[in-house]
Amino acid sequence: MVKKIWNTILFVWMSGVIVGAFIWATQQKALKEYTRIIYFHVPVSWITVLAFLIAAVYSFLYLKKRLLKYDAYAEAANQLGFLFAVLATVTGSIWAKVSWGTFWNWDPRETSIFILLLIYAAYFALRSAIEEQDRRAILSSVYAILAFVTVPFFVFIVPRIYFSLHPDPVINQTGEVNMDFKQRVVFFSSLITFTAVFVWMLKTKFEIAVMRLRIKKLEREK
């Protein structure tokens, strides 16, 4: 019953964000109609970083305690992180098409997210290449921690070192949120909603991961 109520709240909340983004929120002068993409592109980018951070934390916990559930949790978080990284890339490419006339032009931010996708694609390739469970968990955990070290570098540092066409409509030069009241309401509501959806997805994947571990354990005991 509680789960149904929670799912209903998430559905209504997300619907409200979508309606607010396209109907209620005002447009920024520089971006005009393209303002709408901010309410989706920024939240999925935030979730990408959050998911990879959670994966690194669980990878560290596995190396410390050697419990396979932590390795499974890290894999689940990385899967969601990769998914949201793809969504960030797609939404960013849509904006690039309408703003710059092309989906991809190797802007520093586009190049950074592309390299990040390659790094985490290698994580899944590593896991699929090792059959022995404990060895796979150890190597994957070490790789996940090292991979996350590159996340702040590619997401926050590289795009600011080199000249980028990518605008920064959310934070102005003084560090203040460059939005009016309606834009702030929709933007922060979207951040909260996407985070809640991510938590729900992550919790579901954790439950599935635990069930798979139990099934494997029962199969070995037969």
Side-chain angles (χ1 to χ4, degrees), residues 11-40:
F11 175 78
V12 173
W13 202 351
M14 180 61 79
S15 300
V17 167
I18 294 172
V19 172
F22 285 95
I23 297 177
W24 187 65
T26 56
Q27 301 176 17
Q28 288 194 346
K29 293 181 180 180
L31 298 180
K32 297 182 180 180
E33 284 293 339
Y34 310 153
T35 305
R36 317 301 179 192
I37 203 71
I38 295 173
Y39 306 120
F40 305 99

Short mmCIF file of all heavy atoms in Angstrom, two decimals, residues 11-40:
data_model
loop_
_atom_site.label_atom_id
_atom_site.label_comp_id
_atom_site.label_asym_id
_atom_site.label_seq_id
_atom_site.Cartn_x
_atom_site.Cartn_y
_atom_site.Cartn_z
N PHE A 11 4.51 9.87 -9.72
CA PHE A 11 3.89 10.08 -11.03
C PHE A 11 3.27 11.48 -11.13
O PHE A 11 3.47 12.20 -12.11
CB PHE A 11 2.82 9.01 -11.28
CG PHE A 11 2.05 9.22 -12.55
CD1 PHE A 11 2.60 8.88 -13.78
CD2 PHE A 11 0.77 9.76 -12.53
CE1 PHE A 11 1.89 9.08 -14.96
CE2 PHE A 11 0.05 9.97 -13.69
CZ PHE A 11 0.62 9.62 -14.92
N VAL A 12 2.53 11.86 -10.11
CA VAL A 12 1.88 13.17 -10.09
C VAL A 12 2.93 14.28 -10.06
O VAL A 12 2.82 15.30 -10.76
CB VAL A 12 0.92 13.29 -8.88
CG1 VAL A 12 0.38 14.72 -8.77
CG2 VAL A 12 -0.22 12.30 -9.01
N TRP A 13 3.95 14.09 -9.25
CA TRP A 13 5.03 15.07 -9.11
C TRP A 13 5.76 15.29 -10.43
O TRP A 13 5.99 16.43 -10.86
CB TRP A 13 5.99 14.59 -8.03
CG TRP A 13 6.83 15.67 -7.41
CD1 TRP A 13 6.95 16.97 -7.82
CD2 TRP A 13 7.66 15.54 -6.26
NE1 TRP A 13 7.82 17.65 -7.00
CE2 TRP A 13 8.27 16.80 -6.04
CE3 TRP A 13 7.96 14.47 -5.40
CZ2 TRP A 13 9.16 17.02 -4.99
CZ3 TRP A 13 8.86 14.70 -4.35
CH2 TRP A 13 9.43 15.95 -4.16
N MET A 14 6.13 14.19 -11.08
CA MET A 14 6.82 14.29 -12.36
C MET A 14 5.92 14.91 -13.43
O MET A 14 6.38 15.73 -14.24
CB MET A 14 7.29 12.90 -12.82
CG MET A 14 8.03 12.90 -14.16
SD MET A 14 9.56 13.88 -14.13
CE MET A 14 10.68 12.74 -13.31
N SER A 15 4.65 14.56 -13.42
CA SER A 15 3.70 15.16 -14.36
C SER A 15 3.62 16.67 -14.15
O SER A 15 3.57 17.45 -15.11
CB SER A 15 2.31 14.53 -14.20
OG SER A 15 2.36 13.14 -14.45
N GLY A 16 3.61 17.08 -12.88
CA GLY A 16 3.58 18.51 -12.57
C GLY A 16 4.81 19.23 -13.06
O GLY A 16 4.73 20.37 -13.56
N VAL A 17 5.97 18.59 -12.93
CA VAL A 17 7.22 19.18 -13.41
C VAL A 17 7.18 19.36 -14.93
O VAL A 17 7.58 20.41 -15.46
CB VAL A 17 8.43 18.31 -13.01
CG1 VAL A 17 9.69 18.75 -13.76
CG2 VAL A 17 8.67 18.39 -11.51
N ILE A 18 6.71 18.35 -15.63
CA ILE A 18 6.63 18.42 -17.10
C ILE A 18 5.69 19.54 -17.54
O ILE A 18 6.01 20.34 -18.42
CB ILE A 18 6.18 17.07 -17.68
CG1 ILE A 18 7.25 16.00 -17.41
CG2 ILE A 18 5.91 17.18 -19.18
CD1 ILE A 18 6.82 14.59 -17.77
N VAL A 19 4.52 19.60 -16.90
CA VAL A 19 3.55 20.65 -17.23
C VAL A 19 4.14 22.02 -16.90
O VAL A 19 4.03 22.97 -17.68
CB VAL A 19 2.23 20.43 -16.47
CG1 VAL A 19 1.31 21.65 -16.65
CG2 VAL A 19 1.53 19.17 -16.94
N GLY A 20 4.77 22.13 -15.73
CA GLY A 20 5.37 23.39 -15.34
C GLY A 20 6.47 23.83 -16.29
O GLY A 20 6.60 25.02 -16.60
N ALA A 21 7.29 22.88 -16.76
CA ALA A 21 8.40 23.21 -17.65
C ALA A 21 7.92 23.76 -18.99
O ALA A 21 8.53 24.67 -19.55
CB ALA A 21 9.27 21.98 -17.86
N PHE A 22 6.83 23.20 -19.50
CA PHE A 22 6.38 23.58 -20.84
C PHE A 22 5.28 24.64 -20.85
O PHE A 22 5.06 25.28 -21.87
CB PHE A 22 5.89 22.34 -21.59
CG PHE A 22 7.01 21.45 -22.06
CD1 PHE A 22 7.42 20.36 -21.30
CD2 PHE A 22 7.67 21.71 -23.25
CE1 PHE A 22 8.45 19.55 -21.73
CE2 PHE A 22 8.70 20.90 -23.69
CZ PHE A 22 9.10 19.82 -22.92
N ILE A 23 4.60 24.84 -19.74
CA ILE A 23 3.46 25.75 -19.74
C ILE A 23 3.61 26.90 -18.74
O ILE A 23 3.38 28.06 -19.07
CB ILE A 23 2.14 24.99 -19.44
CG1 ILE A 23 1.87 23.96 -20.54
CG2 ILE A 23 0.97 25.96 -19.33
CD1 ILE A 23 0.65 23.12 -20.30
N TRP A 24 4.01 26.59 -17.51
CA TRP A 24 3.98 27.59 -16.44
C TRP A 24 5.25 28.43 -16.35
O TRP A 24 5.19 29.65 -16.22
CB TRP A 24 3.71 26.89 -15.11
CG TRP A 24 3.50 27.84 -13.97
CD1 TRP A 24 2.48 28.73 -13.80
CD2 TRP A 24 4.36 28.00 -12.83
NE1 TRP A 24 2.63 29.42 -12.63
CE2 TRP A 24 3.77 29.00 -12.00
CE3 TRP A 24 5.54 27.39 -12.41
CZ2 TRP A 24 4.34 29.39 -10.80
CZ3 TRP A 24 6.12 27.79 -11.22
CH2 TRP A 24 5.51 28.78 -10.42
N ALA A 25 6.42 27.78 -16.44
CA ALA A 25 7.69 28.49 -16.26
C ALA A 25 7.93 29.48 -17.39
O ALA A 25 7.57 29.23 -18.55
CB ALA A 25 8.84 27.50 -16.18
N THR A 26 8.53 30.61 -17.05
CA THR A 26 8.85 31.62 -18.05
C THR A 26 10.11 31.22 -18.82
O THR A 26 10.85 30.32 -18.42
CB THR A 26 9.08 32.98 -17.38
OG1 THR A 26 10.11 32.84 -16.38
CG2 THR A 26 7.81 33.47 -16.72
N GLN A 27 10.35 31.92 -19.93
CA GLN A 27 11.52 31.65 -20.75
C GLN A 27 12.63 32.63 -20.43
O GLN A 27 12.38 33.79 -20.11
CB GLN A 27 11.17 31.77 -22.23
CG GLN A 27 10.07 30.84 -22.71
CD GLN A 27 9.71 31.08 -24.16
OE1 GLN A 27 10.44 31.71 -24.90
NE2 GLN A 27 8.56 30.57 -24.57
N GLN A 28 13.87 32.15 -20.52
CA GLN A 28 15.00 33.06 -20.38
C GLN A 28 15.21 33.80 -21.70
O GLN A 28 15.02 33.23 -22.78
CB GLN A 28 16.27 32.29 -20.00
CG GLN A 28 16.27 31.79 -18.57
CD GLN A 28 17.64 31.34 -18.13
OE1 GLN A 28 18.53 31.16 -18.93
NE2 GLN A 28 17.80 31.15 -16.82
N LYS A 29 15.62 35.05 -21.62
CA LYS A 29 15.75 35.87 -22.83
C LYS A 29 16.76 35.28 -23.81
O LYS A 29 16.54 35.30 -25.02
CB LYS A 29 16.18 37.29 -22.44
CG LYS A 29 15.11 38.06 -21.67
CD LYS A 29 15.59 39.46 -21.35
CE LYS A 29 14.50 40.23 -20.58
NZ LYS A 29 14.94 41.61 -20.23
N ALA A 30 17.86 34.76 -23.30
CA ALA A 30 18.91 34.25 -24.18
C ALA A 30 18.52 32.93 -24.84
O ALA A 30 18.85 32.68 -26.00
CB ALA A 30 20.21 34.08 -23.41
N LEU A 31 17.80 32.07 -24.10
CA LEU A 31 17.51 30.73 -24.58
C LEU A 31 16.11 30.59 -25.20
O LEU A 31 15.88 29.70 -26.01
CB LEU A 31 17.66 29.71 -23.44
CG LEU A 31 19.05 29.60 -22.84
CD1 LEU A 31 19.06 28.58 -21.71
CD2 LEU A 31 20.07 29.21 -23.90
N LYS A 32 15.18 31.45 -24.76
CA LYS A 32 13.80 31.40 -25.25
C LYS A 32 13.20 30.02 -25.04
O LYS A 32 13.23 29.48 -23.95
CB LYS A 32 13.74 31.85 -26.71
CG LYS A 32 14.19 33.29 -26.90
CD LYS A 32 14.09 33.73 -28.34
CE LYS A 32 14.54 35.18 -28.50
NZ LYS A 32 14.46 35.66 -29.89
N GLU A 33 12.67 29.39 -26.09
CA GLU A 33 12.03 28.09 -25.96
C GLU A 33 12.99 26.99 -25.52
O GLU A 33 12.59 25.99 -24.93
CB GLU A 33 11.36 27.67 -27.28
CG GLU A 33 10.07 28.39 -27.59
CD GLU A 33 8.95 28.02 -26.63
OE1 GLU A 33 9.04 26.97 -25.98
OE2 GLU A 33 7.99 28.80 -26.51
N TYR A 34 14.27 27.21 -25.80
CA TYR A 34 15.27 26.21 -25.43
C TYR A 34 15.45 26.11 -23.93
O TYR A 34 16.11 25.20 -23.42
CB TYR A 34 16.62 26.52 -26.09
CG TYR A 34 16.55 26.79 -27.57
CD1 TYR A 34 17.50 27.60 -28.19
CD2 TYR A 34 15.54 26.24 -28.36
CE1 TYR A 34 17.45 27.85 -29.56
CE2 TYR A 34 15.48 26.50 -29.72
CZ TYR A 34 16.43 27.30 -30.32
OH TYR A 34 16.37 27.55 -31.67
N THR A 35 14.86 27.08 -23.20
CA THR A 35 14.94 27.06 -21.74
C THR A 35 14.41 25.75 -21.18
O THR A 35 14.88 25.27 -20.14
CB THR A 35 14.11 28.22 -21.15
OG1 THR A 35 14.56 29.46 -21.71
CG2 THR A 35 14.27 28.29 -19.63
N ARG A 36 13.43 25.14 -21.85
CA ARG A 36 12.76 23.94 -21.34
C ARG A 36 13.75 22.79 -21.10
O ARG A 36 13.55 21.98 -20.18
CB ARG A 36 11.67 23.46 -22.32
CG ARG A 36 10.79 24.56 -22.90
CD ARG A 36 10.06 25.34 -21.85
NE ARG A 36 9.24 26.40 -22.45
CZ ARG A 36 8.67 27.38 -21.78
NH1 ARG A 36 8.82 27.46 -20.47
NH2 ARG A 36 7.96 28.30 -22.40
N ILE A 37 14.79 22.71 -21.91
CA ILE A 37 15.71 21.58 -21.79
C ILE A 37 16.47 21.61 -20.47
O ILE A 37 16.92 20.57 -19.97
CB ILE A 37 16.70 21.56 -22.98
CG1 ILE A 37 17.27 20.15 -23.20
CG2 ILE A 37 17.82 22.57 -22.80
CD1 ILE A 37 16.28 19.18 -23.74
N ILE A 38 16.61 22.81 -19.87
CA ILE A 38 17.34 22.93 -18.61
C ILE A 38 16.71 22.06 -17.52
O ILE A 38 17.41 21.45 -16.72
CB ILE A 38 17.36 24.40 -18.14
CG1 ILE A 38 18.14 25.27 -19.13
CG2 ILE A 38 17.97 24.52 -16.74
CD1 ILE A 38 18.07 26.74 -18.81
N TYR A 39 15.36 22.01 -17.51
CA TYR A 39 14.65 21.31 -16.44
C TYR A 39 14.79 19.79 -16.53
O TYR A 39 14.36 19.08 -15.63
CB TYR A 39 13.16 21.70 -16.49
CG TYR A 39 12.95 23.20 -16.45
CD1 TYR A 39 12.29 23.85 -17.48
CD2 TYR A 39 13.43 23.97 -15.40
CE1 TYR A 39 12.11 25.24 -17.46
CE2 TYR A 39 13.26 25.34 -15.37
CZ TYR A 39 12.60 25.97 -16.40
OH TYR A 39 12.43 27.33 -16.38
N PHE A 40 15.40 19.31 -17.61
CA PHE A 40 15.60 17.87 -17.77
C PHE A 40 17.09 17.53 -17.91
O PHE A 40 17.55 16.54 -17.34
CB PHE A 40 14.83 17.37 -18.99
CG PHE A 40 13.37 17.71 -18.95
CD1 PHE A 40 12.86 18.79 -19.64
CD2 PHE A 40 12.50 16.96 -18.17
CE1 PHE A 40 11.51 19.12 -19.58
CE2 PHE A 40 11.14 17.28 -18.10
CZ PHE A 40 10.65 18.37 -18.80
#
